[in-house]
Amino acid sequence: ITIPDSVTKIDAFAFSGCSGLTGITIPDSVTSIGIGAFYNCSSLTDIKVSDNNPVFYSTGNCLIKNRSLIAICKNGVIPDDGSVGTIGSYAFCACSDLTNITIPDGVRHIDTFAFCGCTNLTSITIPDSVMSIGSFAFSDCSSLTSITIPDGVTIVGQFVFSGCSSLTSVTLPDSIIAIDGGAFSNCSSLTSITIPSSVKSIMNQAFSNCSSLTNIVIPDSVEAIGDDVFSDCFNLTSITFNGTKSKWKSIRKGSPLYAKSVANNAQTARYSKLMSAAPHTVCAGLFLCPTCLTDRRHIRCADASILCYLPNRHLKSPYPKVNSRSGRTGYPVGNAFFKQFLRAGGVSPGGW
């Protein structure tokens, strides 16, 4: 398609999904192109821009504006001469033919949705020059197996790796201070991740539905934890906080920390009150502890460092209340009866 000289603007997503489009010529009159204008143009192999265009130019079948890569053809190559500083929003989004890519040194920013939906992308190399990665940048890259975020990136953006169902290895640098909401949600193959001691906040649903995640260590640098951070992490067996009890109490927390559907009840667990010196291991009653999974009356794991409880705050119908001193009734965390329940089982609630 050749755009006429009368056109000055191409709106966002203007040619989105034009799977038969193979080439486009942009005249010098066009000075504005919205995000995702050529999103999911799976057959596009040729982008040409008039030499007299004051804003845009093309090279290597890439469309570039002010050092920002706006769009790229299926056969395009990111210039490595320093002319690209930003991978723009939707630049590679839904490029199903993309299997691997090396981002050249000099690129400093990867914008929102830049590589989202690249379902056959198995590997990507991000240079140390990159300082920021936008929300949803790699979401639904379902074949991506590993990722190393370079030192210098400070925030893992919202839903940035959400839906990367083949992701098994994640390396986070010590520069990270925040893991934003949904950052690793639905990474169903992720079995473990090391949260660096620089992290101060882990936000809502950051690791929700990481169904293969078995353990997690929260560093004592963390000051805030959002809602449902580990919801539907069905195989999570331990959460360890590398800090003191007073430090844990000072953390701003959402609720619940983790949640899991059991039988016909939507059961959720609030944050545990930790009993001993660091590190602490939290057992979430019916959610994590193998004994608790079969015995609702269980209040203490064999491992003396693990505190168990039976959450029922959000049950559709609470557990039947029998004699509380018999240890047969679970109480909502935070309820005064919880302490009584522990004492009835011969467990000292300690200083809290």
Side-chain angles (χ1 to χ4, degrees), residues 150-328:
D151 194 20
V153 174
T154 58
I155 297 174
V156 183
Q158 289 185 338
F159 299 95
V160 66
F161 297 107
S162 177
C164 293
S165 55
S166 298
L167 192 64
T168 58
S169 174
V170 176
T171 302
L172 301 178
D174 290 334
S175 57
I176 296 293
I177 61 172
I179 299 175
D180 272 358
F184 296 98
S185 61
N186 300 304
C187 291
S188 55
S189 297
L190 189 64
T191 58
S192 64
I193 186 170
T194 299
I195 300 175
S197 56
S198 55
V199 170
K200 295 183 179 297
S201 62
I202 304 172
M203 302 315 293
N204 300 352
Q205 299 178 331
F207 296 95
S208 66
N209 203 30
C210 289
S211 54
S212 297
L213 192 65
T214 58
N215 63 82
I216 198 83
V217 177
I218 299 175
D220 63 0
S221 58
V222 170
E223 299 173 355
I225 300 176
D227 294 336
D228 300 308
V229 171
F230 302 110
S231 62
D232 295 320
C233 292
F234 298 117
N235 289 302
L236 189 63
T237 56
S238 71
I239 300 174
T240 301
F241 175 63
N242 278 341
T244 63
K245 184 180 71 174
S246 60
K247 173 65 176 178
W248 177 258
K249 286 183 175 181
S250 71
I251 294 175
R252 300 187 301 276
K253 311 177 186 76
S255 64
L257 177 58
Y258 25 63
K260 176 178 177 181
S261 296
V262 179
N264 295 319
N265 295 317
Q267 305 186 34
T268 58
R270 282 190 175 276
Y271 293 95
S272 171
K273 297 191 173 184
L274 304 175
M275 298 179 64
S276 57
H280 306 290
T281 301
V282 182
C283 169
L286 289 173
F287 301 90
L288 308 180
C289 172
T291 306
C292 291
L293 286 171
T294 57
D295 184 0
R296 290 188 173 186
R297 296 170 297 174
H298 184 239
I299 63 168
R300 185 77 174 180
C301 286
D303 184 342
S305 67
I306 298 178
L307 168 67
C308 299
Y309 53 79
L310 299 176
N312 74 342
R313 181 179 178 85
H314 299 279
L315 289 178
K316 292 179 180 178
S317 57
Y319 296 144
K321 289 190 176 181
V322 191
N323 185 342
S324 62
R325 288 198 166 274
S326 70
R328 294 181 180 177

Side-chain angles (χ1 to χ4, degrees), residues 75-95:
N75 59 340
V77 177
I78 304 174
D80 59 3
D81 58 359
S83 60
V84 173
T86 298
I87 307 296
S89 297
Y90 293 93
F92 289 86
C93 190
C95 290

Side-chain angles (χ1 to χ4, degrees), residues 26-55:
I26 300 172
D28 54 14
S29 59
V30 172
T31 56
S32 174
I33 299 177
I35 63 169
F38 305 102
Y39 160 64
N40 201 20
C41 292
S42 55
S43 299
L44 188 63
T45 58
D46 185 37
I47 297 178
K48 293 179 180 177
V49 179
S50 169
D51 291 339
N52 297 321
N53 191 296
V55 178

